[in-house]
Amino acid sequence: MTDLATELLAISATRDQHIPVEMRQVMDRAAQELADSGQAGRARTVGEPAPRFSLPCATGALVTLDDLLAEGPVVLTFYRGAWCPYCNLALRALQRHHADITARGGRLVAVSPQIPDESLTVTEKHGLTFDVLSDLGSDTAKRYGLAFDLSDELAAVYDKLGFDLQCVNDGHPRTLPLPATYVIDRSGVIRWAFVDTDYAARAEPADIIAALDMLGEIGNGMN
């Protein structure tokens, strides 16, 4: 099985073949501006408390971080939406490794700014067996320091590509989260973090599993 980074690179190559050059230039320019903004450095990171949340899952039931932590360490991943091919690939990769995560006592949840109906669609389409939560308005992403607003120029490109963010994000079409994944221990402290302004970069499942193994080693050492 190829690693996730290799699969993501393949999507980027396909994008370059099918998206007009002027649109790619806008997307690349916006990506560089976001990287230069320093936002990734302002996101929550290792050693900090994980902001609490209460968010609806695909069926509408509320899921809280405290309830998840009561069951074990939490793997919390933020993604942009089902319209993003990079997000879909990352979610499928996490699903392939879901059993490895749960075997280590971890509880995996994914968060996006989409409405619950869209979360249900992505759950069913990819056969996800972990909760997909709706962060309407990106309030939770903001507390983690991940939310940013699309520029007018980039939003226009997304409109032309048919990404109906006005609908799927319930009237919050401009605000998206940076790609990010956190491993949070049972006391609510972030013990491992991946944050990147590049939407084509995602946390490798193998690194997430290694972080959970490290948590297990720390816990055994305290007994």
Side-chain angles (χ1 to χ4, degrees), residues 76-206:
L76 173 65
T77 189
F78 289 84
Y79 71 102
R80 303 196 302 167
W83 52 271
C84 172
Y86 299 93
C87 295
N88 291 327
L89 190 61
L91 290 174
R92 290 198 296 271
L94 288 170
Q95 179 59 43
R96 290 198 302 268
H97 292 83
H98 189 211
D100 297 319
I101 291 171
T102 57
R104 290 157 173 81
R107 181 69 184 272
L108 172 63
V109 290
V111 176
S112 86
Q114 297 184 125
I115 59 176
D117 279 353
E118 291 295 323
S119 296
L120 182 59
T121 298
V122 75
T123 297
E124 293 175 341
K125 180 179 179 181
H126 300 300
L128 304 182
T129 55
F130 52 87
D131 281 329
V132 178
L133 310 181
S134 294
D135 181 25
L136 299 181
S138 296
D139 289 337
T140 297
K142 290 173 185 175
R143 289 198 293 275
Y144 278 81
L146 303 171
F148 70 98
D149 290 333
L150 299 176
S151 67
D152 292 344
E153 190 179 34
L154 183 56
V157 166
Y158 282 2
D159 286 343
K160 291 178 182 177
L161 291 172
F163 303 153
D164 191 0
L165 301 188
Q166 179 71 32
C167 176
V168 300
N169 288 0
D170 193 33
H172 302 277
R174 296 295 182 87
T175 306
L176 297 175
L178 299 180
T181 300
Y182 293 99
V183 174
I184 305 167
D185 71 16
R186 295 194 68 170
S187 68
V189 175
I190 297 170
R191 295 302 181 188
W192 183 86
F194 171 93
V195 179
D196 204 309
T197 57
D198 182 0
Y199 57 78
R202 304 301 163 108
E204 284 288 344

Side-chain angles (χ1 to χ4, degrees), residues 73 75 100-101 104 106 183 207-217:
V75 177
D100 297 319
I101 291 171
R104 290 157 173 81
V183 174
D207 293 336
I208 297 169
I209 291 166
L212 288 169
D213 284 339
M214 184 62 68
L215 274 187
E217 292 173 8

